[in-house]
Amino acid sequence: MDTVWLDVQMWTGLRGNFHPFKDVACEVGDPPPAIAGEWQQWADSYLSAVAQQEAWQPGRYAYSAERRDDDGHILEVLTRGQWEWSTNRAI
């Protein structure tokens, strides 16, 4: 497994729900995480790095880590979660 996609959604307080925000293609280390809890830790770390690099707006985000085929169709959802970001660090 070389690439995992993080499908990220951002919380909007005015609407009171999540809306599509960004798809992030991620390189997975060797060996990849083996269980859902390890995938969540990996996703949280990856999101923190991307959010800091791209100066994301502080707030709540939802994500799913997915394996996809060459056409972008989801083959497997490895984990899902919610994540809080502040400009200084992930909470």
Side-chain angles (χ1 to χ4, degrees), residues 10-61:
M10 176 188 263
W11 177 259
T12 57
L14 294 176
R15 290 189 200 165
N17 60 14
F18 290 99
H19 71 275
F21 176 63
K22 180 174 255 242
D23 278 338
V24 181
C26 310
E27 296 297 320
V28 178
D30 191 29
I35 59 173
E38 291 175 357
W39 277 110
Q40 281 189 317
Q41 290 175 342
W42 173 86
D44 288 350
S45 295
Y46 211 101
L47 287 170
S48 293
V50 172
Q52 186 171 16
Q53 181 180 6
E54 296 182 359
W56 287 7
Q57 175 179 329
R60 186 183 320 163
Y61 295 82

Side-chain angles (χ1 to χ4, degrees), residues 58-74:
R60 186 183 320 163
Y61 295 82
Y63 66 87
S64 61
E66 306 167 347
R67 284 186 44 241
R68 297 180 183 177
D69 65 16
D70 293 337
D71 295 325
H73 299 102
I74 299 169

